[in-house]
Amino acid sequence: MSTNVSTCANDLREALLRDIADERVWWHGLLEEVGTERMEHPGAMGAWTFKDLIAHITAYRDRFVARLAAGPVGTPVAIWPPHLDDPATGGLDAVNAWIHTQHEHRPLAEVMADADASFDRLADAFRQISDEDLTIPGRFVWAPADRSLGDVIRGHLFDHVHVAHEPDVRAWMGLAANQRA
């Protein structure tokens, strides 16, 4: 391995670990804003509760961790039944429904603890990945060929939460606050 790849990997790894820590701080802030008293009320994501959303986000984060752990060409441990990934037999709605069914009866404290621990699992996965796998685009068959894993995590995991879910949660919180007034 060249010194250049190693230096680049160390810089990227440190930046990703800071991003994960920053995202965790943001997440804890959102949890505090929502408050545990509202987390099992519907509406945070359609008919889902905020607890359901926590489990949803955690499942996708864990899928990413499993993919990293499997390496560039390995088969990751399935987080949900593999046939659900096939649009012909499942697709995104089927995956999300499966995640919801698996977690809807779990206690809130357990779902929250699992979500918090998922940040550690993600950070550990990035600590263990090789420098080449971290920095060279196209090494993982499931990732875009022109993007590093740093770009993938920022876009797929973090930006997705902020773009696809945060606005709905904030709107829901505003509605809940207005209904209490």
Side-chain angles (χ1 to χ4, degrees), residues 2 12 20 23 33 40 53 72 99 102 120-121 138 156 163 170:
S2 75
L12 179 57
I20 293 166
E23 191 68 14
E33 284 182 63
E40 296 189 77
L53 179 60
I99 292 168
Q102 298 304 304
D120 294 328
R121 292 189 294 269
H156 183 70
V163 172
R170 295 209 178 275

Side-chain angles (χ1 to χ4, degrees), residues 36-98:
T36 54
E37 69 280 355
R38 286 194 283 199
M39 289 188 185
E40 296 189 77
H41 296 169
M45 189 170 130
W48 285 11
T49 66
F50 190 76
K51 182 188 91 169
D52 298 330
L53 179 60
I54 295 171
H56 167 84
I57 291 168
T58 303
Y60 279 94
R61 191 174 296 135
D62 284 343
R63 179 186 194 206
F64 194 86
V65 169
R67 285 175 159 186
L68 290 176
V73 295
T75 302
V77 172
I79 302 300
W80 48 76
H83 74 275
L84 295 178
D85 283 322
D86 182 351
T89 58
L92 193 57
D93 289 340
V95 169
N96 291 340
W98 184 89

Side-chain angles (χ1 to χ4, degrees), residues 26 155 157-168:
W26 172 85
L157 291 179
F158 298 157
D159 291 350
H160 175 76
V161 170
H162 295 289
V163 172
H165 300 303
E166 184 181 0
D168 291 338

Side-chain angles (χ1 to χ4, degrees), residues 8-20 127 134:
C8 182
N10 287 336
D11 292 346
L12 179 57
R13 192 178 326 274
E14 289 305 313
L16 286 169
L17 293 173
R18 280 191 307 273
D19 288 350
I20 293 166
R127 285 185 189 101
L134 185 60

Side-chain angles (χ1 to χ4, degrees), residues 113-143:
D114 190 30
D116 195 54
S118 73
F119 286 101
D120 294 328
R121 292 189 294 269
L122 184 60
D124 288 344
F126 274 106
R127 285 185 189 101
Q128 294 173 19
I129 198 166
S130 77
D131 290 352
E132 291 84 359
D133 289 346
L134 185 60
T135 57
I136 299 172
R139 301 234 340 154
F140 288 79
V141 296
W142 49 266

